[in-house]
């Protein structure tokens, strides 16, 4: 990752959108300028980004152009991500869905139902490409925004199964959109229980990719010619083969905690579902890894993951690696939080979902950038900061925190940046997250602008 190009908004925007095919070079130039302004401060409103009413109207016109589509804006970023993935031996393709809640926008057009019957908005299906060895987020490998189409009134479950198109098919479409890797590359689609579908498994096989999915249902398992059992029951009957300390991250208002995980693994032959007309009739051999905690703190549900994978898993080392791979799934949740909290897509004052989806084409790579900036803060922390940070920026921060720019390391630099954003750096806080890093980065930009202005006034 080129830190200088990533941190400079103009360089990042030119690299990310400069080759977008919008049928008019002026539109591409406008998209690059808009992305530059957004990168400088993604928390601001669109008028604040554009600075003048003339520039603001130009952006609104851009987002109204039929040729300025979400797909066209995203294409350079998707292509750059793919090129990086093709040069990697192992890539995790981490997929999940999030809803964009527009229930507070009563006059916006084009919304569909989300959540309960009162929720209004649209959905975004995202596949992030991640290098598991370094946890580096390469970018979006595929992404699809969509509006929910209500099921016909009175539709029964058996009718829903026979329907040709289902909302859950978006998972399968992403697999086909990504396609087949180069020989020698291992691409693994990682998903939560929403991906536990036989057609999803088949899509991975047809594209010569693999899957690693948290089991969401107990499937029929062929044990011998006459005996059939169920996958979750069988996995839970296996005795523990190893254990390991594990840090449960803070999630959904629950604090992080330390625990001890047990592990067991083996292979199974899954029988295709009897009531899924699109599923192949061929049994599917998979490896199953179960991790669980035997004793959870009072008030906490014991952690248990039962993971189903097509990647051969024949040793304890393999099994723990599959568990580590699944932990990368949280990165796509972080990404969706970047999209909502960091880029404020739900607060953008456009009048239609179509306009918001076009804007998503600018904001989606920006949300990736927020995660990549966090990665910069954690990469090679002992390296001298002056080797990767622009000199004036380093001098301004060093003066602000009372340190010498000659002795500051990369780790120290980013810790001090995060302090500007509210990071307390207490012993139990862990490394800075993207929110405090980004807020601190924006504060540092303000300090830098003041220093540059003072320098020019002296001249």
């Amino acid at each position: 990752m080129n830190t200088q190009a990533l941190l400079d908004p103009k360089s990042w925007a030119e690299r990310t959108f400069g080759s977008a095919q919008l049928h008019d070079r002026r539109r591409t130039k406008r998209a690059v300028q808009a992305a530059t302004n957004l990168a400088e401060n993604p928390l601001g409103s669109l008028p604040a980004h554009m600075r003048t009413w003339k520039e603001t109207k130009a952006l609104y016109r851009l987002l109204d152009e039929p040729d300025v589509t979400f797909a066209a804006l995203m294409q350079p970023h998707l292509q750059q991500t793919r090129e990086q993935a093709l040069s990697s031996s192992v890539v995790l393709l981490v997929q999940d869905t999030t809803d964009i809640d527009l229930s507070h926008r009563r006059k916006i057009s084009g919304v569909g139902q989300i959540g309960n019957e009162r929720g209004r908005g649209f959905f975004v299906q995202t596949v992030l490409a991640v290098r598991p060895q370094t946890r580096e987020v390469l970018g979006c490998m595929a992404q699809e925004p969509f509006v929910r189409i209500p099921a016909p009134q009175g539709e029964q479950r058996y009718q829903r199964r026979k329907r040709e198109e289902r909302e859950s098919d978006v998972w399968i479409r992403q697999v086909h959109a990504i396609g087949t890797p180069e020989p020698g590359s291992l691409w693994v689609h990682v998903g939560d229980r929403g991906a536990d579908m036989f057609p999803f498994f088949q899509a991975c096989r047809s594209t010569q990719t693999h899957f690693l999915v948290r089991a969401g249902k107990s499937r029929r398992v062929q044990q011998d010619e006459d005996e059939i059992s169920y996958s979750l029951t069988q996995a839970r009957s296996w005795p523990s083969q190893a254990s390991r300390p594990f840090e449960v991250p803070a999630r959904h208002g629950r604090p992080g905690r330390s625990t001890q995980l047990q592990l067991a693994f083996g292979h199974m032959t899954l029988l295709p579902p009897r009531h899924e007309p699109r599923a192949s009739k061929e049994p599917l051999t998979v490896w199953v890894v179960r991790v669980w905690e035997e004793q959870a703190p009072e008030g906490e549900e014991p952690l248990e993951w039962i993971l189903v994978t097509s990647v051969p898993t024949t040793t304890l080392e393999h099994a723990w690696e599959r568990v580590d791979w699944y932990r990368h799934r949280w990165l796509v949740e972080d990404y969706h939080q970047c999209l909502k909290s960091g880029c404020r897509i739900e607060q953008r004052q456009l009048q239609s979902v179509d306009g918001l989806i076009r804007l998503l084409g600018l904001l989606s790579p920006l949300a990736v950038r927020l995660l990549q900036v966090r990665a910069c803060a954690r990469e090679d922390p002992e390296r001298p900061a002056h080797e990767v940070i622009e000199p004036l920026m380093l001098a301004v921060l060093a003066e602000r925190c009372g340190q010498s720019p000659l002795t500051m390391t990369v780790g120290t630099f980013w810790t001090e940046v995060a302090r500007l954003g509210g990071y307390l750096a207490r012993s139990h806080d862990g490394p800075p997250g993207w929110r405090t890093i980004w807020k601190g980065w924006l504060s540092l930009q303000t300090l830098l602008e003041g220093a540059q202005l003072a320098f020019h006034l002296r001249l």
Side-chain angles (χ1 to χ4, degrees):
M1 184 186 303
N2 186 324
T3 303
Q4 293 284 11
L6 176 68
L7 296 180
D8 179 62
K10 187 175 181 180
S11 299
W12 170 82
E14 183 61 45
R15 178 171 54 87
T16 307
F17 297 99
S19 60
Q21 300 299 309
L22 306 179
H23 299 276
D24 189 321
R25 185 60 193 170
R26 291 170 297 179
R27 294 174 189 158
T28 302
K29 185 178 179 181
R30 176 68 60 190
V32 170
Q33 184 58 55
T36 301
N37 294 348
L38 285 164
E40 288 174 348
N41 180 11
L43 295 174
S45 65
L46 291 183
H49 292 310
M50 298 301 108
R51 300 188 177 96
T52 68
W53 179 233
K54 179 181 177 180
E55 292 293 312
T56 302
K57 287 194 297 182
L59 175 60
Y60 286 140
R61 285 197 301 271
L62 182 75
L63 296 175
D64 263 342
E65 285 286 349
D67 291 330
V68 182
T69 63
F70 168 78
L73 288 167
M74 284 290 292
Q75 183 54 39
H77 174 77
L78 296 176
Q79 182 60 36
Q80 290 161 16
T81 303
R82 186 176 188 86
E83 289 170 1
Q84 292 184 77
L86 288 171
S87 66
S88 306
S89 58
V90 180
V91 174
L92 304 181
L93 303 172
V94 187
Q95 184 171 172
D96 203 6
T97 316
T98 193
D99 57 57
I100 305 301
D101 190 350
L102 305 173
S103 303
H104 59 290
R105 300 283 309 284
R106 290 299 170 190
K107 294 184 179 180
I108 190 169
S109 64
V111 294
Q113 180 184 319
I114 63 170
N116 57 34
E117 294 181 359
R118 297 182 180 180
R120 301 164 71 250
F122 65 98
F123 293 88
V124 177
Q125 189 83 10
T126 303
V127 184
L128 285 185
V130 180
R131 286 194 180 112
Q133 300 91 339
T134 60
R135 292 183 63 85
E136 179 185 358
V137 176
L138 304 180
C140 288
M141 195 75 162
Q143 192 170 59
E144 181 180 333
F146 63 96
V147 177
R148 173 172 287 165
I149 299 174
Q153 191 171 5
E155 183 181 51
Q156 301 298 312
R157 187 175 181 182
Y158 76 92
Q159 294 172 312
R160 191 160 57 248
R161 286 198 185 111
K162 292 182 178 180
R163 197 193 307 162
E164 289 188 8
E165 291 191 11
R166 308 176 195 173
E167 188 173 295
S168 58
D169 289 350
V170 68
W171 291 80
I172 300 164
R173 288 198 298 272
Q174 301 310 287
V175 174
H176 287 299
I178 290 168
T180 304
E182 296 291 336
S185 293
L186 179 68
W187 288 2
V188 184
H189 290 273
V190 180
D192 65 3
R193 286 172 284 199
D196 186 6
M197 302 177 287
F198 239 73
F200 180 82
F201 302 157
Q202 292 169 198
C204 293
R205 294 183 70 180
S206 70
T207 55
Q208 300 174 43
T209 56
H210 285 274
F211 59 83
L212 173 67
V213 169
R214 184 178 177 186
K217 57 193 73 173
S218 197
R219 297 187 179 278
R220 295 182 304 140
V221 175
Q222 183 76 58
Q223 289 194 300
D224 54 39
E225 288 187 5
D226 300 317
E227 187 176 357
I228 292 176
S229 63
Y230 288 87
S231 56
L232 299 188
T233 302
Q234 185 171 328
R236 287 172 177 145
S237 72
W238 293 338
S240 174
Q241 296 165 258
S243 65
R244 177 181 290 182
F246 184 77
E247 296 297 322
V248 181
R251 276 286 181 263
H252 308 302
R254 293 182 176 271
R257 58 188 175 88
S258 300
T259 190
Q260 189 81 12
L261 284 187
Q262 308 297 318
L263 177 142
F265 72 99
H267 66 84
M268 298 182 188
T269 301
L270 302 182
L271 297 176
R274 288 170 288 192
H275 303 295
E276 172 52 82
R278 301 178 303 171
S280 165
K281 301 307 179 184
E282 294 296 321
L284 182 64
T285 298
V286 297
W287 283 261
V288 177
V289 180
R290 181 189 178 218
V291 289
W292 73 98
E293 60 178 341
E294 294 183 332
Q295 290 186 333
E298 187 176 351
E300 292 282 352
E301 183 179 349
L303 186 148
E304 182 192 46
W305 297 340
I306 298 179
L307 307 177
V308 179
T309 183
S310 59
V311 183
T313 304
T314 57
T315 67
L316 278 173
E317 182 181 4
H318 289 163
W320 283 119
E321 183 179 57
R322 305 300 172 259
V323 174
D324 289 337
W325 284 359
Y326 183 73
R327 292 177 65 189
H328 288 72
R329 199 195 68 79
W330 289 319
L331 286 170
V332 75
E333 292 187 11
D334 286 347
Y335 166 81
H336 287 146
Q337 282 301 311
C338 288
L339 198 58
K340 295 178 183 182
S341 302
C343 301
R344 300 177 69 244
I345 188 169
E346 293 173 334
Q347 279 71 51
R348 302 297 177 174
Q349 296 300 307
L350 296 175
Q351 299 307 307
S352 69
V353 165
D354 283 346
L356 271 178
I357 288 176
R358 288 190 179 98
L359 181 61
L360 177 67
L362 293 173
L363 295 181
S364 186
L366 181 56
V368 170
R369 181 175 181 251
L370 295 183
L371 287 183
Q372 291 174 337
V373 168
R374 180 182 68 178
C376 285
R378 299 178 180 182
E379 183 180 343
D380 200 3
E382 299 304 317
R383 184 177 181 180
H386 64 78
E387 293 182 2
V388 293
I389 304 299
E390 191 267 328
L392 181 57
M393 181 181 296
L394 180 59
V396 168
L397 184 65
E399 179 66 25
R400 174 70 170 72
C401 64
Q403 298 194 40
S404 168
L406 298 177
T407 59
M408 286 185 76
T409 64
V410 168
T412 304
F413 174 85
W414 285 109
T415 297
E416 294 301 329
V417 168
R419 284 181 187 273
L420 292 177
Y423 178 62
L424 299 178
R426 297 169 296 189
S427 58
H428 61 279
D429 283 339
W434 67 265
R435 287 182 179 86
T436 54
I437 288 173
W438 196 244
K439 289 178 182 177
W441 181 253
L442 297 179
S443 296
L444 181 56
Q445 298 301 307
T446 303
L447 293 173
L448 185 61
E449 288 178 8
Q452 291 170 331
L453 180 60
F455 175 76
H456 288 300
L457 287 175
R458 282 200 300 271
L459 295 179

